[in-house]
Amino acid sequence: MDRTQKAAVIDEVAQQIQEAEAIYAVDYRGASVPQAAELRARLREADATFRVVKNTLTERAAEQAGAEGLKAYLDGPTALTFVRGDAAAAAKALADFRRASGLLEFKGGWMNSEALSPEQMDAIARLPSREVLYGRLVGMVASPLTGLASALNGLIGGLARQLSQIAEQGLVGGDAPAPAAEAAPAEEAPAAEEAAPEEPAAEAAPAEDSPPAEGDTDSQTETEKE
Protein backbone atom coordinates (compact mmCIF):
# COMPACT_ATOMS: atom_id res chain seq x y z
CA MET A 1 0.00 0.00 0.00
CA ASP A 2 1.56 3.26 -1.11
CA ARG A 3 1.28 6.61 0.60
CA THR A 4 -1.72 7.70 -1.47
CA GLN A 5 -3.62 4.55 -0.60
CA LYS A 6 -2.75 4.91 3.07
CA ALA A 7 -3.96 8.51 3.06
CA ALA A 8 -7.24 7.40 1.46
CA VAL A 9 -7.73 4.73 4.14
CA ILE A 10 -6.98 7.23 6.91
CA ASP A 11 -9.52 9.70 5.50
CA GLU A 12 -12.12 6.96 5.11
CA VAL A 13 -11.67 5.65 8.65
CA ALA A 14 -11.68 9.19 10.06
CA GLN A 15 -15.00 9.84 8.31
CA GLN A 16 -16.45 6.61 9.72
CA ILE A 17 -15.37 7.66 13.21
CA GLN A 18 -17.02 11.05 12.84
CA GLU A 19 -20.28 9.61 11.50
CA ALA A 20 -20.57 6.78 14.01
CA GLU A 21 -22.91 6.91 17.00
CA ALA A 22 -20.57 4.50 18.78
CA ILE A 23 -17.32 2.65 18.06
CA TYR A 24 -16.44 -0.70 19.63
CA ALA A 25 -12.91 -2.12 19.62
CA VAL A 26 -12.55 -5.90 19.92
CA ASP A 27 -9.77 -8.46 19.77
CA TYR A 28 -10.71 -10.66 16.83
CA ARG A 29 -7.96 -13.27 17.18
CA GLY A 30 -9.14 -16.80 16.46
CA ALA A 31 -12.16 -15.77 14.37
CA SER A 32 -12.35 -17.60 11.06
CA VAL A 33 -13.40 -16.02 7.80
CA PRO A 34 -16.89 -17.62 7.90
CA GLN A 35 -17.34 -16.49 11.51
CA ALA A 36 -16.32 -12.95 10.59
CA ALA A 37 -18.79 -13.00 7.70
CA GLU A 38 -21.56 -14.18 10.05
CA LEU A 39 -20.72 -11.40 12.52
CA ARG A 40 -20.77 -8.78 9.77
CA ALA A 41 -24.24 -9.97 8.74
CA ARG A 42 -25.52 -9.62 12.32
CA LEU A 43 -24.02 -6.17 12.69
CA ARG A 44 -25.47 -5.05 9.38
CA GLU A 45 -28.95 -5.50 10.86
CA ALA A 46 -28.00 -2.91 13.50
CA ASP A 47 -26.59 -0.58 10.82
CA ALA A 48 -23.03 -1.26 11.97
CA THR A 49 -19.82 -2.08 10.09
CA PHE A 50 -17.09 -4.49 11.24
CA ARG A 51 -13.67 -3.47 9.93
CA VAL A 52 -10.04 -4.47 10.44
CA VAL A 53 -7.46 -1.77 9.72
CA LYS A 54 -3.77 -1.53 10.60
CA ASN A 55 -3.37 0.06 14.02
CA THR A 56 -0.97 2.72 12.76
CA LEU A 57 -3.48 3.92 10.18
CA THR A 58 -6.34 3.83 12.69
CA GLU A 59 -4.32 5.90 15.14
CA ARG A 60 -3.79 8.61 12.54
CA ALA A 61 -7.47 8.45 11.60
CA ALA A 62 -8.44 8.82 15.26
CA GLU A 63 -6.23 11.86 15.59
CA GLN A 64 -7.73 13.35 12.44
CA ALA A 65 -11.29 12.73 13.69
CA GLY A 66 -10.62 14.11 17.18
CA ALA A 67 -11.16 10.72 18.86
CA GLU A 68 -7.73 10.20 20.32
CA GLY A 69 -9.27 8.17 23.16
CA LEU A 70 -9.50 5.27 20.72
CA LYS A 71 -5.74 5.04 20.46
CA ALA A 72 -5.54 3.34 23.87
CA TYR A 73 -7.34 0.27 22.46
CA LEU A 74 -5.22 -0.11 19.33
CA ASP A 75 -2.80 -2.64 20.78
CA GLY A 76 -2.56 -6.05 19.17
CA PRO A 77 -5.06 -7.45 16.65
CA THR A 78 -7.96 -4.99 16.76
CA ALA A 79 -11.17 -4.74 14.80
CA LEU A 80 -13.45 -1.73 15.00
CA THR A 81 -17.25 -1.79 14.83
CA PHE A 82 -18.64 1.51 13.55
CA VAL A 83 -22.26 1.87 14.69
CA ARG A 84 -24.50 4.27 12.84
CA GLY A 85 -27.78 2.83 14.12
CA ASP A 86 -28.74 1.16 17.40
CA ALA A 87 -25.69 1.10 19.68
CA ALA A 88 -27.32 -1.37 22.07
CA ALA A 89 -28.28 -3.76 19.27
CA ALA A 90 -24.73 -3.70 17.86
CA ALA A 91 -23.18 -4.32 21.28
CA LYS A 92 -25.65 -7.17 21.82
CA ALA A 93 -24.67 -8.74 18.47
CA LEU A 94 -21.01 -8.64 19.51
CA ALA A 95 -21.83 -10.08 22.95
CA ASP A 96 -23.95 -12.89 21.47
CA PHE A 97 -21.18 -13.82 19.05
CA ARG A 98 -18.62 -13.81 21.87
CA ARG A 99 -20.87 -16.01 24.05
CA ALA A 100 -21.48 -18.50 21.22
CA SER A 101 -17.91 -18.69 19.92
CA GLY A 102 -15.80 -17.88 22.97
CA LEU A 103 -13.96 -15.31 20.83
CA LEU A 104 -14.05 -11.56 20.36
CA GLU A 105 -12.74 -9.99 23.58
CA PHE A 106 -14.06 -6.51 24.29
CA LYS A 107 -11.26 -3.93 24.50
CA GLY A 108 -13.20 -0.65 24.81
CA GLY A 109 -14.88 1.94 22.64
CA TRP A 110 -15.92 5.49 21.96
CA MET A 111 -19.32 7.15 22.36
CA ASN A 112 -20.46 10.76 22.72
CA SER A 113 -16.82 11.90 22.62
CA GLU A 114 -16.06 9.72 25.65
CA ALA A 115 -14.03 6.53 25.96
CA LEU A 116 -15.85 3.30 26.86
CA SER A 117 -14.42 0.57 29.05
CA PRO A 118 -15.06 -3.15 28.37
CA GLU A 119 -17.46 -3.16 31.34
CA GLN A 120 -19.42 -0.30 29.80
CA MET A 121 -19.63 -2.19 26.53
CA ASP A 122 -21.09 -5.17 28.41
CA ALA A 123 -23.60 -2.87 30.11
CA ILE A 124 -24.66 -1.39 26.76
CA ALA A 125 -25.13 -4.90 25.37
CA ARG A 126 -27.63 -5.62 28.16
CA LEU A 127 -29.75 -2.55 27.37
CA PRO A 128 -33.08 -2.99 25.52
CA SER A 129 -32.95 -2.32 21.83
CA ARG A 130 -34.15 0.97 20.40
CA GLU A 131 -37.33 -0.68 19.11
CA VAL A 132 -38.14 -2.02 22.57
CA LEU A 133 -37.52 1.39 24.13
CA TYR A 134 -39.76 3.03 21.53
CA GLY A 135 -42.47 0.49 22.30
CA ARG A 136 -42.22 1.22 26.02
CA LEU A 137 -42.32 4.95 25.37
CA VAL A 138 -45.43 4.61 23.23
CA GLY A 139 -47.02 2.50 25.95
CA MET A 140 -46.22 5.12 28.60
CA VAL A 141 -47.72 7.88 26.46
CA ALA A 142 -50.79 5.83 25.57
CA SER A 143 -51.53 4.67 29.13
CA PRO A 144 -52.75 8.06 30.43
CA LEU A 145 -54.84 8.50 27.28
CA THR A 146 -56.38 5.06 27.75
CA GLY A 147 -57.13 5.85 31.37
CA LEU A 148 -58.69 9.16 30.39
CA ALA A 149 -60.90 7.49 27.78
CA SER A 150 -62.04 4.89 30.32
CA ALA A 151 -62.82 7.59 32.86
CA LEU A 152 -64.82 9.57 30.29
CA ASN A 153 -66.75 6.48 29.25
CA GLY A 154 -67.56 5.75 32.88
CA LEU A 155 -68.67 9.33 33.45
CA ILE A 156 -70.91 9.34 30.39
CA GLY A 157 -72.39 5.96 31.32
CA GLY A 158 -73.12 7.13 34.87
CA LEU A 159 -74.76 10.29 33.58
CA ALA A 160 -76.95 8.27 31.22
CA ARG A 161 -78.06 6.00 34.06
CA GLN A 162 -78.91 8.98 36.25
CA LEU A 163 -80.95 10.60 33.47
CA SER A 164 -82.78 7.33 32.92
CA GLN A 165 -83.66 7.07 36.61
CA ILE A 166 -84.86 10.67 36.64
CA ALA A 167 -87.05 10.02 33.60
CA GLU A 168 -88.55 6.93 35.23
CA GLN A 169 -89.46 8.98 38.26
CA GLY A 170 -91.27 11.48 36.03
CA LEU A 171 -88.98 14.33 36.91
CA VAL A 172 -88.22 15.19 33.30
CA GLY A 173 -90.33 15.17 30.17
CA GLY A 174 -94.11 15.61 29.80
CA ASP A 175 -95.02 13.41 32.79
CA ALA A 176 -93.42 15.66 35.34
CA PRO A 177 -95.82 16.28 38.23
CA ALA A 178 -97.20 19.78 38.58
CA PRO A 179 -95.54 21.74 41.32
CA ALA A 180 -97.64 22.20 44.44
CA ALA A 181 -99.54 25.46 44.49
CA GLU A 182 -98.05 27.91 46.79
CA ALA A 183 -100.26 28.99 49.60
CA ALA A 184 -101.75 32.42 49.06
CA PRO A 185 -100.22 34.91 51.39
CA ALA A 186 -102.50 35.84 54.23
CA GLU A 187 -104.13 39.20 53.88
CA GLU A 188 -102.39 41.66 55.98
CA ALA A 189 -104.48 43.52 58.54
CA PRO A 190 -105.03 47.12 57.61
CA ALA A 191 -102.29 49.22 58.94
CA ALA A 192 -104.81 51.84 60.11
CA GLU A 193 -106.62 49.29 62.26
CA GLU A 194 -105.50 49.64 65.84
CA ALA A 195 -105.84 47.14 68.56
CA ALA A 196 -108.90 47.68 70.74
CA PRO A 197 -108.06 49.30 74.06
CA GLU A 198 -108.11 46.90 76.90
CA GLU A 199 -110.96 47.44 79.43
CA PRO A 200 -109.87 48.13 82.97
CA ALA A 201 -110.06 45.05 85.03
CA ALA A 202 -112.99 45.12 87.47
CA GLU A 203 -112.15 45.04 91.14
CA ALA A 204 -112.83 41.70 92.51
CA ALA A 205 -115.72 41.74 95.04
CA PRO A 206 -114.90 40.16 98.30
CA ALA A 207 -116.27 36.72 98.55
CA GLU A 208 -119.27 36.43 100.92
CA ASP A 209 -118.07 33.35 102.59
CA SER A 210 -114.48 34.45 102.87
CA PRO A 211 -113.25 34.29 106.45
CA PRO A 212 -112.72 37.67 108.15
CA ALA A 213 -109.29 38.93 108.92
CA GLU A 214 -107.87 38.42 112.39
CA GLY A 215 -108.62 42.06 113.50
CA ASP A 216 -112.26 41.82 112.40
CA THR A 217 -112.72 38.67 114.43
CA ASP A 218 -111.88 40.50 117.64
CA SER A 219 -114.28 43.37 116.85
CA GLN A 220 -117.08 40.98 116.05
CA THR A 221 -116.57 39.16 119.30
CA GLU A 222 -116.75 42.34 121.34
CA THR A 223 -119.99 43.39 119.63
CA GLU A 224 -121.55 40.05 120.29
CA LYS A 225 -120.64 40.40 123.97
CA GLU A 226 -122.43 43.75 124.21
Side-chain angles (χ1 to χ4, degrees), residues 48-126:
T49 303
F50 187 80
R51 184 168 185 176
V52 178
V53 183
K54 290 183 63 174
N55 289 344
T56 54
L57 299 181
T58 305
E59 288 178 358
R60 294 176 61 182
E63 292 176 354
Q64 182 173 320
E68 295 187 0
L70 277 175
K71 295 168 64 175
Y73 310 121
L74 302 176
D75 182 20
T78 304
L80 295 181
T81 299
F82 300 99
V83 184
R84 294 178 299 275
D86 191 339
K92 181 175 176 59
L94 293 172
D96 290 344
F97 180 87
R98 181 184 60 179
R99 184 167 48 254
S101 65
L103 305 172
L104 219 67
E105 177 186 354
F106 286 178
K107 302 179 74 171
W110 185 259
M111 180 185 291
N112 297 328
S113 301
E114 296 289 341
L116 296 174
S117 66
E119 293 76 18
Q120 289 174 318
M121 289 181 60
D122 281 323
I124 294 173
R126 290 192 295 269

Side-chain angles (χ1 to χ4, degrees), residues 24-226:
Y24 301 135
V26 298
D27 187 337
Y28 66 92
R29 280 180 293 190
S32 64
V33 174
Q35 287 176 321
E38 179 186 354
L39 177 59
R40 285 189 172 91
R42 294 185 183 182
L43 291 172
R44 196 175 299 115
E45 296 176 358
D47 196 10
T49 303
F50 187 80
R51 184 168 185 176
V52 178
V53 183
K54 290 183 63 174
N55 289 344
T56 54
L57 299 181
T58 305
E59 288 178 358
R60 294 176 61 182
E63 292 176 354
Q64 182 173 320
E68 295 187 0
L70 277 175
K71 295 168 64 175
Y73 310 121
L74 302 176
D75 182 20
T78 304
L80 295 181
T81 299
F82 300 99
V83 184
R84 294 178 299 275
D86 191 339
K92 181 175 176 59
L94 293 172
D96 290 344
F97 180 87
R98 181 184 60 179
R99 184 167 48 254
S101 65
L103 305 172
L104 219 67
E105 177 186 354
F106 286 178
K107 302 179 74 171
W110 185 259
M111 180 185 291
N112 297 328
S113 301
E114 296 289 341
L116 296 174
S117 66
E119 293 76 18
Q120 289 174 318
M121 289 181 60
D122 281 323
I124 294 173
R126 290 192 295 269
L127 292 174
S129 66
R130 185 176 298 177
E131 293 180 357
V132 173
L133 291 176
Y134 282 160
R136 292 180 180 178
L137 178 61
V138 171
M140 292 173 61
V141 172
S143 289
L145 297 179
T146 303
L148 178 60
S150 300
L152 290 176
N153 289 335
L155 179 61
I156 294 173
L159 180 59
R161 287 191 296 271
Q162 292 180 2
L163 291 176
S164 177
Q165 293 175 0
I166 293 173
E168 291 175 357
Q169 296 172 5
L171 299 180
V172 294
D175 298 334
E182 297 181 359
E187 295 182 358
E188 297 182 358
E193 184 178 351
E194 298 180 354
E198 296 182 358
E199 296 181 357
E203 296 182 358
E208 294 180 357
D209 298 333
S210 59
E214 292 180 359
D216 295 340
T217 305
D218 294 339
S219 300
Q220 184 178 1
T221 303
E222 290 179 359
T223 305
E224 288 177 355
K225 286 181 180 181
E226 293 178 355

Side-chain angles (χ1 to χ4, degrees), residues 2-44:
D2 59 22
R3 181 175 300 179
T4 303
Q5 292 174 327
K6 291 180 180 179
V9 171
I10 292 172
D11 290 341
E12 185 178 354
V13 173
Q15 183 176 358
Q16 286 182 306
I17 293 174
Q18 291 174 340
E19 294 177 351
E21 295 291 334
I23 304 168
Y24 301 135
V26 298
D27 187 337
Y28 66 92
R29 280 180 293 190
S32 64
V33 174
Q35 287 176 321
E38 179 186 354
L39 177 59
R40 285 189 172 91
R42 294 185 183 182
L43 291 172
R44 196 175 299 115

